[in-house]
Amino acid sequence: MKVFFVNPPFKAEYGKFSRENRSPALTRSGTLYYPLWLIYAAAVCRKDGFEVEFLDAPATPLNKSQALEVIREHAEGVRLFVVETSTPSIYSDVSFIEELEKYYTEAVFLLVGTHPSALPEETLRLSESIDAVARREYDYIVRDVARALRDGRDFREVNGLTYRTCQTIKSNPDMAYIEDIDEIPFASQFIKEYLNYKDYFFAASSYPEIQIFTGRGCMAHCNFCVYPQTLHGHKYRLRSPENVVEEFRYIADNFPDVKEVVIEDDTFTAKKDRVINICKLLIENGLHKRLSWLCNARVNLDLETMKMMKKAGCRLIIPGIESGSEEILRNIKKGTNLKLIRAYMKNAKKAGLLVHACYMVGNQGETKKTMEDTFNLALELNADTAQFYPLLPFPGTEAYAWAKSKGYISGKYDEYVKEDGTINCVLNLPGLSAEEMVAFCNNARRKYYLRPSYILHRLWVGLKNPDDLKRSLKAFGKLRKFLFKG
């Protein structure tokens, strides 16, 4: 039996829509994430003996008619379509399913992702072409649905599903979270066979790169973060150090021109002992000389661990700084403070690690003054690279519930991005409009990157590291039209 996994097209005429970003959009830097959650689910089905087809339409990118043509060429014998979606693209995704369903009326169409997980019943009501929605972590849900279809059983009995039956919608109990993460096949093995790794780009990483997860869930409770609240929960479930390092070895052996591994865990550094063990194994196996790597790392990371990470090949760390206001950090349950943030940045420089800092405006308590405080903090910290975004409150998050209850959210889901697919702002706060927040982020980005001191710094880093210079030029080529706009 064949299962077809589809990451649908979306505004292909403008570029590569990155559906798996924590804020899905066509990014200004040209970043395109691997559709990792869809990849892992497909790899689980393949491991279970199913024939698998996989289409990542945004990677090329393909438009709707091109994507449908590719699917029709490879869909003989398909009993199950698994379709990724996101909040900004949900209407387009459903339209694509409706078109696809015309050709495969006997197949089951299962929708996955953060949006249908947060709003399963609402999503099903968008179209009768959708047979079911998988809630939360969906690897084993998809596998069990495929097993049921293969064995002639009713797939609607699988836990974790919200499904349509006649004119009603029903929900089964949740599927248990996967505890043994080592049982999940390597994403890199699936990428090797089914995708072109050169289609993907991460602006903070050396190119080309491979993205992986080494754990699932996040112990932090940031009120805006969509993955822990809609998919994977707050219990951090980990791959063993040996399993992680074995995937590094696989990447080094099978992708000789890949420069870097991007560890996409919400916070890779949550368990210090495990990080140290992974670093030691990377060094013992000589992999630190073959691959560099980067990761998300909260600002409670200590200097000793940073130094060990640097020794083991880590090049860059990514913290969510978010705000220069202590009050806002408390409001969003960030679990950090400005003292920790400043110490983190000093320690990163001591350890020789680059930092990509993430800043956000529009959270509870935001004013024009707190936005300026955030930009001034960004200048003070002077991270190697930085991003500035308005809050996008996605369904299923506490931030969405807060904004919705206050009447701060305007527009429909497709207004989370602009017509060209780039990030929009759907919030209007008291004394602070969506337009003002977007303008602030655009100006902050421009002022940050066009500083003479910053440009000289980037050139100096590039002279020491030609790969970094190539990465910077590629990202700048994508970003420049936004930097110089206006």
Side-chain angles (χ1 to χ4, degrees):
M1 191 189 104
K2 186 183 291 185
V3 184
F4 210 129
F5 293 82
V6 183
N7 191 24
F10 182 68
K11 297 184 182 292
E13 67 272 22
Y14 293 110
K16 299 183 176 186
F17 181 79
S18 193
R19 199 174 261 105
E20 193 133 347
N21 281 25
R22 286 165 177 80
S23 297
L26 193 153
T27 66
R28 291 173 171 84
S29 64
T31 289
L32 178 70
Y33 280 71
Y34 289 84
L36 278 177
W37 300 129
L38 201 63
I39 286 171
Y40 282 118
V44 165
C45 276
R46 188 168 180 269
K47 178 182 177 182
D48 207 52
F50 292 97
E51 185 180 354
V52 165
E53 294 287 351
F54 197 96
L55 175 64
D56 186 9
T60 306
L62 302 177
N63 61 31
K64 179 185 285 189
S65 62
Q66 291 168 330
L68 288 169
E69 182 178 351
V70 170
I71 291 171
R72 289 199 297 269
E73 289 175 357
H74 298 89
E76 184 178 352
V78 170
R79 297 281 306 284
L80 174 62
F81 284 95
V82 182
V83 184
E84 179 70 273
T85 187
S86 68
T87 295
S89 65
I90 183 64
Y91 303 132
S92 171
D93 300 334
V94 170
S95 174
F96 183 79
I97 291 171
E98 289 175 334
E99 189 67 26
L100 190 57
E101 197 255 351
K102 294 177 183 177
Y103 299 95
Y104 305 99
T105 56
E106 300 302 315
V108 170
F109 286 84
L110 177 64
L111 213 56
V112 298
T114 60
H115 186 90
S117 183
L119 301 171
E121 294 187 7
E122 178 184 307
T123 302
L124 276 171
R125 291 192 182 100
L126 291 176
S127 174
E128 292 188 0
S129 294
I130 307 168
D131 295 297
V133 159
R135 306 187 311 274
R136 307 199 309 177
E137 189 171 72
Y138 56 81
D139 315 59
Y140 287 0
I141 300 174
V142 172
R143 180 202 63 188
D144 288 358
V145 168
R147 285 177 175 177
L149 291 171
R150 179 196 61 197
D151 299 341
R153 294 182 285 110
D154 187 350
F155 77 88
R156 293 171 296 185
E157 296 176 356
V158 173
N159 281 347
L161 288 182
T162 297
Y163 59 91
R164 184 189 312 283
T165 173
C166 298
Q167 299 301 313
T168 63
I169 292 175
K170 296 183 179 180
S171 291
N172 294 338
D174 290 335
M175 174 74 78
Y177 285 123
I178 302 168
E179 293 294 335
D180 188 355
I181 305 299
D182 283 1
E183 287 295 311
I184 306 296
F186 294 164
S188 54
Q189 288 180 325
F190 193 89
I191 290 166
K192 174 74 173 175
E193 185 167 348
Y194 287 88
L195 289 84
N196 181 358
Y197 62 98
K198 291 187 177 179
D199 285 339
Y200 302 88
F201 176 68
F202 186 66
S205 173
S206 300
Y207 175 83
E209 46 83 25
I210 297 287
Q211 295 173 11
I212 66 172
F213 278 87
T214 78
R216 299 189 178 191
C218 181
M219 295 184 295
H221 289 265
C222 307
N223 76 339
F224 56 85
C225 194
V226 69
Y227 283 145
Q229 296 183 75
T230 62
L231 289 187
H232 302 297
H234 291 288
K235 181 181 179 182
Y236 193 26
R237 295 157 286 130
L238 308 170
R239 292 168 58 184
S240 66
E242 292 78 10
N243 183 265
V244 173
V245 173
E246 188 57 36
E247 183 160 20
F248 267 73
R249 185 193 305 280
Y250 178 87
I251 293 169
D253 290 345
N254 289 275
F255 298 89
D257 57 341
V258 160
K259 300 288 196 304
E260 197 151 55
V261 176
V262 178
I263 298 176
E264 260 297 297
D265 302 23
D266 286 306
T267 175
F268 172 69
T269 56
K271 298 283 189 180
K272 176 178 177 177
D273 290 347
R274 174 176 177 266
V275 174
I276 296 295
N277 286 337
I278 289 173
C279 290
K280 287 179 178 178
L281 286 172
L282 288 172
I283 294 168
E284 288 172 9
N285 288 273
L287 292 165
H288 65 305
K289 297 178 180 179
R290 302 175 67 185
L291 288 168
S292 63
W293 52 281
L294 61 88
C295 65
N296 298 309
R298 281 175 64 81
V299 300
N300 57 0
L301 183 62
D302 62 281
L303 177 58
E304 177 190 12
T305 308
M306 286 183 181
K307 288 181 176 179
M308 188 64 180
M309 290 166 60
K310 174 68 175 179
K311 186 178 178 181
C314 183
R315 183 183 62 86
L316 177 142
I317 50 180
I318 305 175
I321 305 296
E322 318 309 0
S323 177
S325 163
E326 297 275 19
E327 178 188 357
I328 290 176
L329 292 176
R330 288 192 296 271
N331 288 344
I332 64 178
K333 302 181 180 179
K334 188 66 187 177
T336 63
N337 57 56
L338 297 181
K339 181 179 179 180
L340 269 176
I341 290 168
R342 290 186 170 103
Y344 175 96
M345 291 298 299
K346 289 178 181 177
N347 286 337
K349 291 174 183 178
K350 288 179 183 177
L353 292 172
L354 300 178
V355 177
H356 175 76
C358 304
Y359 300 95
M360 179 191 301
V361 299
N363 284 296
Q364 182 180 349
E366 196 78 84
T367 64
K368 292 177 182 178
K369 180 184 182 306
T370 59
M371 291 198 303
E372 288 302 323
D373 290 342
T374 296
F375 183 67
N376 289 334
L377 178 66
L379 294 178
E380 174 195 335
L381 298 179
N382 198 28
D384 187 69
T385 51
Q387 65 183 48
F388 301 87
Y389 282 116
L391 167 67
L392 289 174
F394 289 106
T397 65
E398 291 183 27
Y400 180 84
W402 160 73
K404 195 77 171 174
S405 69
K406 297 291 186 180
Y408 296 157
I409 296 180
S410 60
K412 299 188 297 182
Y413 299 130
D414 54 2
E415 294 178 15
Y416 274 66
V417 293
K418 299 177 183 178
E419 176 59 32
D420 63 1
T422 58
I423 282 177
N424 196 18
C425 182
V426 295
L427 283 174
N428 284 285
L429 304 180
L432 197 57
S433 68
E435 291 76 14
E436 287 173 313
M437 285 185 275
V438 169
F440 170 84
C441 291
N442 290 338
N443 290 331
R445 195 179 300 112
R446 185 180 301 114
K447 290 177 183 177
Y448 193 90
Y449 282 114
L450 296 183
R451 292 174 294 156
S453 60
Y454 180 82
I455 294 171
L456 289 173
H457 164 71
R458 293 303 317 147
L459 290 172
W460 174 245
V461 172
L463 288 173
K464 294 189 293 182
N465 184 348
D467 284 338
D468 188 86
L469 181 61
K470 291 177 184 177
R471 177 197 63 76
S472 296
L473 291 174
K474 184 176 176 69
F476 182 77
K478 297 287 186 178
L479 191 59
R480 63 181 178 179
K481 67 179 179 179
F482 299 104
L483 290 176
F484 293 107
K485 189 176 181 180

